[in-house]
Each structure stands twice: as C-alpha cells, then as structure tokens.
Amino acid sequence: MRKRMFALGLCAAMAVGTLAGCSSSQGTSATTAKSQEEAPSETGRTEAKEELEGSLVFAIWDNNLMDYIDENDMVGKFQEKYPNADIEVEKIKDDSEYWNAMKMRTSANQLPDVMFNKPFTLSRFKDYLLDLSDLEASKNNELASGYAMDGKVLGVPMTAGYEYVYYWKDMFKEAGVEVPTTWEELETTAQTLQDYYGKNDPDFMAIALGAKDEWPDYPYMEFMPALQGGNGQNWNDMAKADAPFAEGTDINKAYNKVYNLFSKDVFGKDPLGMGNDQVTSLFAQKKAAIIALGDWGLQNIQNGTDDISELGTFYLPVRDSKNDPFRVIVQGDSFMGVTTHSKNPELAKAFVEWFYSEDWYPGYINYVTSASSMTNFPKEKDPILAQADEQQPDKELVMYDGGGDDFQAIQNEIAFDYKKLGSQMFTDGFDLKAELDGLNTKWAEARTKLGIK
C-alpha cells in the first residue's frame, strides 16, 4: 500500500496547474458496462469483479481510520476482491488542511477519486460528487437519504453521532425528581435539584456547563433551533431569510428557552468561571447532577470516577408538551463520496460498496467509539448511552446540517457566534431581544452585500 502524508503548505507552494503532489491517480479506465458493476451478495459480502482495474486515491484526515487501515491491511483486503486495483491512501494532517487542499484541487480538476465530506461541505462540493443512490451501501445506510441533495446521495456517512444528557440516577431519586421529557420539566427538575443540594453545598451545580470555554453550550445554542422545528437544515434556511431571528422563528423560540434556563441559578454561582474539563470532573464527583455532552463525553466522565453504576442518560427534551414529537439530533459524519474527477468512477464506487460491506465495515465500526450508520451492521450502544433510547423509544431523528457556504459566509461577515452568544447570556444586563433584533439587521445587510438570495 502506498500512503502519503503531507502538509497543506507543500501543496500551496505548487502552481495550481502543476499539482503533482496533490493529483489524482491516472489509472486505467474502469470498465463501465452494467454487467460489471459491483453487486452485494446475500451474506452482505461483495462479489469480486476482476474486470475492474486501475488506481484510486482515497483522501482522509481521520487518525483513527488511518490507524485501522494500517493495522488491518485495507488495500490488501480490497485487492483480494479486486486484484487489478491499487489504492493510494492520502492522509492529510487535519480537517482544516483537508478542506483547504480540496478547495485548491477542485479548481485544478485534481480531486481524489474518493473523498470524505461533512454535512456542511456536501453543498460546497455537490457539483463534483457522483450520485451514489443506487449503491447498496446507500440503501442500507440509516442517514444517507436524509442528507441527499436534489434527490441525489452524494456521500455515505461512515458514522452516526448522538448527543446526550448525562445524569446521576441516585441524585435524582434522593431529590425526588424524574427524568424530564419536556422543556418545562427540565427547568423544574434543574431548579429542584439546585434547591435540594445547594442548601448544603453553595458550590453545587444542578447543571454543569463550563461556559468559560464557550463551546460547551453547543447542545443548547447550536442544536436547539434544529430540534425546535425538527429542521436539520435550519442554518441553511436562515441564509435565505432577511430576519431569521424574528419572533416566531425556530431560533427565536429556542434561544428564549435557553435564556430562561440560563437565567436561573441552576449552573452554580459562577457559570463563566469554569471550563469544560473542570465541570466534567466535578460532575464525575457528583458536585453536579446533569451535564449535556456528545457520546464522546462518556469516556471523560468515566475517567473522573471509579463508580458509574448510577450514571444514566436521557435526550435533551426541547418539546413544549408530551403531545409533541420528541426530537433527537443525529449527525452523519465522514460522508464517503466519489468525485467527478475520478478516472475510474466504477472502481471508486466498487470501493465504497466494499468499504461498507461485511468485508470491512463491521471491524472498523467496532474499532471506534462512534455509532454505526448502517442498518445491516448495527452496533450495540454502551449500556449507559442506550438508556436514553429506552427513555424515548419513539424518538424522531433530526439529521443535523452544520450550515453550508451561504450560511457560513453570512456568519463570518457579521461575526455571528452562537456559542459566544450563549456565554453572553450569563452576563449581567444581557438583553436577548435587543441582541436578536440587532442580528436581524446585520443579517439582512450581509445578505445584500454578499449577494445571497
């Protein structure tokens, strides 16, 4: 297997027309006859198609995936089915350099054969990605169709990410509260916990946040607008409006809920005085009863305590009443797609099909902590995380998109930072209505200036 690792600076130093170090492989053209397309067998394995031949460049930034590829001879295994194929795995330092490199290579017609995307970059590269709707990998993926653009599946997400609220069951029981299932219940539960434990411990936090770092408020400030209306494309839809923060909009409703919660004394006496690491450690020591984090947060909590027997999870209850759908954020990640620059598109599609087959995917998904995105290869959740699903077996999934190029252009133009805005809600004299009115004015001006319609 050939593997390249390079820094963006190396590529940037080259003339765009001579991106030799960043170019896609010039392999033999693959056979395109329908009869030679890859077909999955009934066992979930892929059938060998020796007719397909050529070279592929597979560009990634994920260190965990690179380690697994190295340890498990991915290329060798693929060549057992496709002996006339060669794959060059191109490892780029991190996702920031990855996007810079892909942007440059788009202009030079030198995108790799197979690339990854995030939800918010699919729109950026949509004109350079082939439709994978007909692949069995797409059909068996729980999220792929939900992220389709213009009816086309442009990438197959490798993993699914969920957000949780972690809590101590014994602390809830002692304080006489139940797991909340509406936003009002969450506010009441938090206040009851604060009053019960805070009377003897002035440093107690019903909800641990770590607002000093700003980013830890993302479960509220980033995801709640999408949960409010069940619209994972909320940020992109906002880019089409002049007054997206107006009264009655999803983001206005969500941020008013957040502000009401943040205005309570349930985050301790100094919410802005501690960062995420500190409050996670305090939560692990039961100096707080609730903390909202992704599935990755479980390991951090476990590292801070010797006893997780009373640790439980539920999903953030944004709904107004129990008659409303219980919505849960899910994010597809690492969308594997085939580019229009590929000289061997059928071989590249065969590689995607193989990657998500029994020959490769089950081993990888069990290697990482993330949840499976494939319905035919489910991954059992950690028992602690699974408790959230038991609480809400009829949950409605909202497939979250982080906002495409238009949203990000406006966001950058007016310096809109929802995480910073959340931290500002803890400051004295903060006026949410004035802040949202000001954002509406800036938003409309930015759309005009940038020519976004």
Side-chain angles (χ1 to χ4, degrees):
M1 177 181 72
R2 292 177 294 156
K3 177 179 70 176
R4 281 188 298 181
M5 300 183 68
F6 69 97
L8 177 62
L10 177 62
C11 291
M14 301 177 181
V16 170
T18 58
L19 290 173
C22 301
S23 64
S24 179
S25 295
Q26 304 292 318
T28 305
S29 296
T31 306
T32 57
K34 184 69 176 179
S35 62
Q36 295 173 340
E37 290 185 356
E38 176 143 2
S41 69
E42 293 182 359
T43 64
R45 292 185 180 275
T46 53
E47 295 178 0
K49 292 295 181 183
E50 296 185 8
E51 300 92 339
L52 291 176
E53 60 182 36
S55 298
L56 300 175
V57 170
F58 176 32
I60 69 174
W61 71 81
D62 189 323
N63 291 326
N64 287 329
L65 176 57
M66 190 71 251
D67 290 343
Y68 190 76
I69 287 172
D70 282 342
E71 295 169 9
N72 293 273
D73 188 20
M74 183 192 75
V75 174
K77 285 184 170 62
F78 182 67
Q79 288 175 333
E80 291 176 5
K81 295 296 179 69
Y82 298 90
N84 298 316
D86 183 35
I87 303 174
E88 179 178 334
V89 181
E90 182 182 340
K91 172 64 171 66
I92 298 177
K93 180 182 177 182
D94 54 38
D95 57 346
S96 294
E97 293 197 6
Y98 187 91
W99 303 127
N100 287 334
M102 294 304 111
K103 180 179 180 180
M104 183 169 58
R105 292 161 68 169
T106 299
S107 301
N109 199 39
Q110 298 287 352
L111 284 172
D113 300 271
V114 181
M115 68 176 290
F116 279 126
N117 271 286
K118 292 281 190 178
F120 58 88
T121 64
L122 283 172
S123 60
R124 185 181 308 169
F125 293 97
K126 67 178 182 179
D127 294 332
Y128 305 95
L129 295 168
L130 298 180
D131 184 9
L132 304 182
S133 300
D134 291 337
L135 296 189
E136 290 300 312
S138 299
K139 297 173 184 177
N140 290 327
N141 193 279
E142 183 179 28
L143 307 175
S145 62
Y147 284 101
M149 304 192 72
D150 300 324
K152 299 177 181 179
V153 173
L154 303 180
V156 182
M158 193 164 60
T159 59
Y162 295 85
E163 296 293 323
Y164 298 91
V165 179
Y166 299 85
Y167 75 107
W168 291 111
K169 292 183 282 187
D170 54 339
M171 295 184 73
F172 270 46
K173 183 177 180 180
E174 183 179 334
V177 297
E178 303 288 338
V179 170
T181 62
T182 67
W183 186 257
E184 183 178 3
E185 287 180 358
L186 175 66
E187 291 183 330
T188 301
T189 295
Q191 192 63 64
T192 301
L193 288 163
Q194 187 67 44
D195 294 343
Y196 183 85
Y197 292 103
K199 65 180 183 289
N200 297 319
D201 181 2
D203 295 321
F204 179 77
M205 303 171 286
I207 303 177
L209 184 64
K212 180 180 179 180
D213 290 335
E214 295 183 352
W215 67 262
D217 64 23
Y218 77 90
Y220 309 95
M221 298 301 293
E222 181 178 2
F223 293 144
M224 276 186 57
L227 288 171
Q228 178 68 39
N231 180 14
Q233 296 288 327
N234 180 72
W235 299 125
N236 293 324
D237 289 344
M238 285 175 59
K240 304 172 186 175
D242 275 340
F245 299 91
E247 185 175 352
T249 62
D250 287 341
I251 196 168
N252 187 290
K253 293 177 182 177
Y255 282 4
N256 271 283
K257 287 181 177 178
V258 175
Y259 185 48
N260 288 337
L261 179 64
F262 283 11
S263 298
K264 297 181 180 296
D265 65 345
V266 298
F267 293 89
K269 61 184 181 182
D270 187 15
L272 294 171
M274 291 182 286
N276 176 259
D277 289 346
Q278 189 174 359
V279 299
T280 301
S281 177
L282 290 170
F283 172 80
Q285 299 166 32
K286 296 189 177 180
K287 298 295 184 180
I290 295 170
I291 189 169
L293 297 169
D295 43 22
W296 50 268
L298 177 58
Q299 184 174 359
N300 294 341
I301 296 169
Q302 290 173 323
N303 291 338
T305 181
D306 294 327
D307 184 5
I308 58 170
S309 60
E310 293 295 331
L311 183 62
T313 58
F314 60 90
Y315 291 116
L316 189 67
V318 176
R319 63 181 179 175
D320 296 315
S321 77
K322 294 185 179 181
N323 294 324
D324 297 329
F326 195 107
R327 298 183 177 120
V328 172
I329 284 287
V330 59
Q331 293 186 83
D333 199 5
S334 297
F335 289 69
M336 186 184 289
V338 176
T339 75
T340 58
H341 295 175
S342 175
K343 301 298 189 296
N344 296 301
E346 295 307 319
L347 180 61
K349 289 181 181 180
F351 173 67
V352 174
E353 198 82 283
W354 174 87
F355 191 98
Y356 289 94
S357 76
E358 184 177 309
D359 296 315
W360 181 258
Y361 186 80
Y364 169 73
I365 199 61
N366 287 319
Y367 176 80
V368 297
T369 58
S370 302
S372 172
S373 61
M374 300 298 291
T375 57
N376 54 336
F377 301 119
K379 177 181 176 181
E380 186 173 346
K381 282 188 179 181
D382 183 282
I384 292 173
L385 302 181
Q387 292 177 38
D389 295 313
E390 295 166 4
Q391 301 274 2
Q392 295 296 334
D394 299 321
K395 63 186 179 296
E396 177 183 297
L397 295 181
V398 177
M399 281 166 280
Y400 177 74
D401 184 297
D405 287 350
D406 285 349
F407 168 75
Q408 292 178 32
I410 299 172
Q411 184 183 36
N412 293 334
E413 177 68 23
I414 69 171
F416 170 54
D417 185 337
Y418 40 74
K419 297 167 188 174
K420 183 180 289 295
L421 179 62
S423 292
Q424 291 173 340
M425 291 183 183
F426 288 106
T427 59
D428 292 337
F430 179 82
D431 187 334
L432 179 62
K433 183 179 185 305
E435 188 69 29
L436 297 182
D437 287 345
L439 284 169
N440 273 332
T441 300
K442 294 176 183 177
W443 198 272
E445 292 173 349
R447 291 185 72 241
T448 299
K449 177 180 177 180
L450 298 170
I452 295 174
K453 299 179 180 181

